[in-house]
């Protein structure tokens, strides 16, 4: 089991890469006025303040990608954002965690595979439902093959500007590998 620690001004946020700590929450269809597919991904963190357990908190980030999958855009949701209350440096560190989840986490990929499998076994009664299920399945399968060069971040910064954060390797980030939970 892999874990990642993000040190903020107030606390340590620890993400443990296990299925109960990852959730894919919302899905939107490709429509004429909405030319992309959208998912919300929730990550649950253990919180440590002053070396004391401070509870858990689920935080979200959005994923939006075009039909042809030329780019996958990570964005900040309106509520429960993984980027909320973080300074500029902490936001950049969070981007590294998201890159890890999307490109390297076998748990995330297993969750997506399970969702695809569930769709394959879903009972549909009409052609419209079948097309919707097929579209969901295709888009979920694209999440299984995300490459770092396809990911772009659109994150609102302190001054209200939207910054496209350049991708850095995890080795150069502020993410500390956490202890293995079984240690």
């Amino acid at each position: 089991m892999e874990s990642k620690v993000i040190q903020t001004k107030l606390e340590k946020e620890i993400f443990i890469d296990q299925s109960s700590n990852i959730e894919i929450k919302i899905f939107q269809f490709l429509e004429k006025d909405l030319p992309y597919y959208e998912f919300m991904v929730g990550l649950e963190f253990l919180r440590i303040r002053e070396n004391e357990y401070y509870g858990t908190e689920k935080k979200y980030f959005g994923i939006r990608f075009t039909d042809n999958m030329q780019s996958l855009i990570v964005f900040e949701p309106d509520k429960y954002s993984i980027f909320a209350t973080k300074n500029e440096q902490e936001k950049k560190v969070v981007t590294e965690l998201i890159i890890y989840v999307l490109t390297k986490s076998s748990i995330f990929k297993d969750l997506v595979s399970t969702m695809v499998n569930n769709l394959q076994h879903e009972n549909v009664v009409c052609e419209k439902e079948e097309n919707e299920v097929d579209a969901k399945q295709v888009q979920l399968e694209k999440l299984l093959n995300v490459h770092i060069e396809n990911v772009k971040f659109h994150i609102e910064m302190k001054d209200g500007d939207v910054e496209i954060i350049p991708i850095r390797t995890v080795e150069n980030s502020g993410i500390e590998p956490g202890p293995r939970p079984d240690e």
Side-chain angles (χ1 to χ4, degrees):
M1 212 179 306
E2 186 78 28
S3 66
K4 303 289 181 187
V5 177
I6 299 173
Q7 180 67 55
T8 67
K9 283 184 179 180
L10 298 176
E11 63 190 16
K12 288 183 182 178
E13 298 175 343
I14 303 168
F15 169 72
I16 300 172
D17 193 10
Q18 61 186 25
S19 60
S20 62
N21 291 338
I22 302 174
E23 172 186 26
I24 298 178
K25 190 167 185 176
I26 297 173
F27 186 93
Q28 289 185 317
F29 289 103
L30 183 66
E31 296 180 12
K32 291 177 185 173
D33 61 332
L34 191 64
Y36 49 79
Y37 294 87
E38 185 172 284
F39 301 88
M40 297 301 289
V41 178
L43 303 178
E44 188 160 335
F45 292 88
L46 296 173
R47 298 168 63 205
I48 306 293
R49 281 192 184 173
E50 299 174 7
N51 295 322
E52 297 286 330
Y53 175 72
Y54 199 70
T56 62
E57 184 175 23
K58 189 165 283 190
K59 299 178 180 189
Y60 293 88
F61 64 92
I63 302 173
R64 193 178 287 151
F65 56 92
T66 59
D67 189 34
N68 59 8
M69 188 55 184
Q70 288 184 357
S71 64
L72 182 145
I73 298 167
V74 176
F75 65 93
E76 183 173 8
D78 294 334
K79 294 183 179 181
Y80 308 108
S81 171
I82 196 169
F83 297 100
T85 70
K86 303 236 180 335
N87 66 32
E88 310 297 313
Q89 180 59 37
E90 293 164 355
K91 285 181 180 183
K92 289 178 181 179
V93 171
V94 168
T95 64
E96 297 300 329
L97 173 60
I98 293 170
I99 288 291
Y100 165 79
V101 169
L102 295 176
T103 63
K104 296 182 179 169
S105 170
S106 60
I107 302 298
F108 179 77
K109 293 190 185 310
D110 289 347
L111 177 63
V112 172
S113 294
T114 299
M115 293 174 74
V116 168
N117 189 44
N118 290 343
L119 283 172
Q120 290 172 342
H121 294 95
E122 194 167 300
N123 289 331
V124 293
V125 293
C126 67
E127 186 176 338
K128 181 181 178 187
E129 286 179 355
E130 185 176 327
N131 291 339
E132 290 173 359
V133 167
D134 288 346
K136 284 182 183 180
Q137 183 176 336
V138 166
Q139 298 309 310
L140 284 168
E141 287 171 348
K142 289 178 183 178
L143 285 178
L144 295 173
N145 298 306
V146 173
H147 300 286
I148 194 167
E149 59 271 7
N150 299 109
V151 181
K152 295 176 176 38
F153 285 82
H154 289 243
I155 309 304
E156 189 170 326
M157 302 312 251
K158 181 174 55 177
D159 58 7
D161 289 340
V162 173
E163 180 177 342
I164 299 173
I165 299 174
I167 304 303
R168 299 171 294 144
T169 61
V170 173
E171 292 78 26
N172 296 329
S173 75
I175 292 181
E176 304 169 21
R180 297 215 180 263
D182 54 351
E183 290 179 350

